[in-house]
Amino acid sequence: MKKRIKVLPKSQRDAKRYFFLDCNFLDLKKIKENFIFLFGALKFSESGFVMRTVDKKNLIKINRNFVNELIFCIFYTKKLGAKIKVIKQSGTLNSL
Amino acid sequence: MAYFYKYQNNYFIFAKDAPEFEKEKNKIFLFKDVNDAKLFQKFSGNKTAVISSSPETISFWTKKKINYIINPFNFYSVGFDKNIFSQIIQNKIQPMIILDKLIINDKDKQLKIFKHLFLFIKLCKKYKLPVIILSEDLHATKALYHILGYNEQQAKNFLSGFNEKKN
C-alpha cells in the first residue's frame, strides 16, 4: 500500500525549521560576534549555525537548533550594555 | 540600601548589612569568607548562603549547613573535587547560579567563567543535584537550562523549589 506523505507548504516548513526574532536597536554584528565567541569557543564550530537577517534588517533568522544559544547571547549582549529590544519571536521556548 | 542581588521579592544581603533590611521579609544572608563565622550564629535560623569561589571557604561553610552555595567558581578557580561535592550532597546544600553576576566585560575571563559554569553543571548532573539558576531575564534563564541539557519541567521544578522555600 502506498503511504501518503503529507507535505507542508514551503512557508510552514521554513517556519518550523527556523526561528525568527524581531528586535529593535539591533547590532547584528555584535550579536553574531558574541554568539561565535560564547558558543563557537565552548561548543560549536563557526559553520555549525546560520544566522542572517531577513526582509527588514532587524529580523534575525536562525536554525531552531540554536535558538536557546541565540536567546542567551542576546541576554549577554544586553548585559554588556547594548540596546536591544526583542519585539516578537516566532515561538516560545515551550513550543520548541 | 546596599544589597548584593534582588530576585522578585527576595533580597540577597551580606550578613554585615543585615540591620538595614530589618523590615524586609524574604532575605537570604550571604557569607563571604571564614571571617564572617562570628556573624553566623545570629542568622542560623534564616536562609543562608556562601558566595565564594574558593573550595576551602565553600567547604568551611558547607559544614555549617548553610542553605545555598552561590556562583561557586571564578575565572581563576580550580574546580571542585569529589570530597566537596559529597559534603554538599550530605548537608543538603543547593547550588545556585546568579547569572547576572557572571557577566563581565573581559572576554578571556568571561570564557573561563562560562567554562567553569559548564563543568560545574556537569558535576551537578552527575550527582543529580538540582541547580537553581536566577536571572532578571526569565527567557535567558530558560534558554540556559536548555543549553545545559535540562528540560522545561526540570527547570520549573528547580525554580519552584526555591520559591516555595522562600514563602
Side-chain angles (χ1 to χ4, degrees):
Chain A
M1 215 172 95
K2 249 188 187 177
K3 221 178 183 181
R4 283 183 67 185
I5 300 163
K6 264 193 190 168
V7 179
L8 289 170
K10 192 176 179 304
S11 60
Q12 277 184 40
R13 265 182 289 160
D14 262 5
K16 279 194 183 300
R17 239 181 308 148
Y18 294 101
F19 182 86
F20 297 93
L21 198 87
D22 199 353
C23 303
N24 236 350
F25 316 114
L26 176 72
D27 185 347
L28 187 71
K29 211 176 135 216
K30 189 99 208 132
I31 292 179
K32 200 165 180 171
E33 212 176 81
N34 286 339
F35 194 104
I36 291 167
F37 160 67
L38 285 176
F39 298 104
L42 288 174
K43 247 167 129 187
F44 309 112
S45 72
E46 270 184 45
S47 56
F49 59 88
V50 184
M51 187 167 124
R52 63 167 70 99
T53 44
V54 236
D55 304 335
K56 291 174 285 172
K57 63 175 188 211
N58 62 349
L59 188 66
I60 297 178
K61 177 182 176 185
I62 190 165
N63 187 311
R64 267 184 178 260
N65 295 337
F66 297 106
V67 64
N68 290 310
E69 282 80 357
L70 176 68
I71 291 169
F72 185 72
C73 182
I74 286 173
F75 163 79
Y76 174 73
T77 313
K78 270 162 91 174
K79 282 300 271 187
L80 290 181
K83 278 187 186 169
I84 302 164
K85 196 179 159 203
V86 176
I87 305 167
K88 218 162 93 184
Q89 42 197 58
S90 71
T92 61
L93 284 167
N94 298 326
S95 63
L96 288 173
Chain B
M1 291 198 294
Y3 54 83
F4 172 74
Y5 188 66
K6 191 182 172 200
Y7 179 76
Q8 295 169 357
N9 292 323
N10 303 299
Y11 285 90
F12 291 77
I13 308 154
F14 284 110
K16 63 174 174 54
D17 299 324
E20 290 180 55
F21 292 86
E22 231 165 289
K23 284 180 190 159
E24 299 299 334
K25 270 186 193 161
N26 300 319
K27 289 172 280 195
I28 295 113
F29 294 102
L30 307 176
F31 298 90
K32 261 201 292 199
D33 51 44
V34 291
N35 296 330
D36 287 344
K38 53 186 183 298
L39 288 168
F40 185 68
Q41 286 271 307
K42 256 164 87 182
F43 300 102
S44 54
N46 296 279
K47 290 283 163 203
T48 51
V50 56
I51 177 156
S52 172
S53 57
S54 139
E56 292 78 24
T57 308
I58 293 169
S59 171
F60 173 84
W61 286 103
T62 306
K63 286 173 192 153
K64 293 208 176 286
K65 300 192 189 237
I66 41 115
N67 303 100
Y68 307 104
I69 49 168
I70 297 174
N71 295 358
F73 41 79
N74 206 331
F75 55 86
Y76 55 77
S77 66
V78 285
F80 274 77
D81 60 30
K82 268 189 184 170
N83 292 335
I84 296 186
F85 244 88
S86 51
Q87 272 180 33
I88 293 172
I89 296 164
Q90 267 169 22
N91 294 313
K92 294 192 175 123
I93 291 158
Q94 240 194 318
M96 185 187 278
I97 306 298
I98 298 182
L99 198 50
D100 307 285
K101 297 287 180 188
L102 288 182
I103 312 291
I104 53 167
N105 226 329
D106 178 317
K107 289 220 161 184
D108 284 341
K109 288 177 182 169
Q110 184 70 83
L111 207 57
K112 283 183 188 154
I113 288 179
F114 280 128
K115 277 184 181 160
H116 280 293
L117 168 68
F118 278 56
L119 282 173
F120 179 73
I121 302 286
K122 218 172 154 182
L123 276 174
C124 289
K125 281 173 114 174
K126 193 176 157 193
Y127 294 104
K128 298 196 166 49
L129 209 59
V131 186
I132 300 166
I133 300 177
L134 303 180
S135 150
E136 62 196 25
D137 182 339
L138 191 61
H139 284 293
T141 309
K142 279 190 190 176
L144 184 61
Y145 270 122
H146 281 278
I147 293 166
L148 296 170
Y150 293 108
N151 63 36
E152 192 88 17
Q153 196 51 48
Q154 287 171 309
K156 264 186 196 157
N157 291 347
F158 295 170
L159 288 173
S160 70
F162 171 69
N163 291 331
E164 269 166 28
K165 271 180 202 163
K166 300 283 5 103
N167 294 331

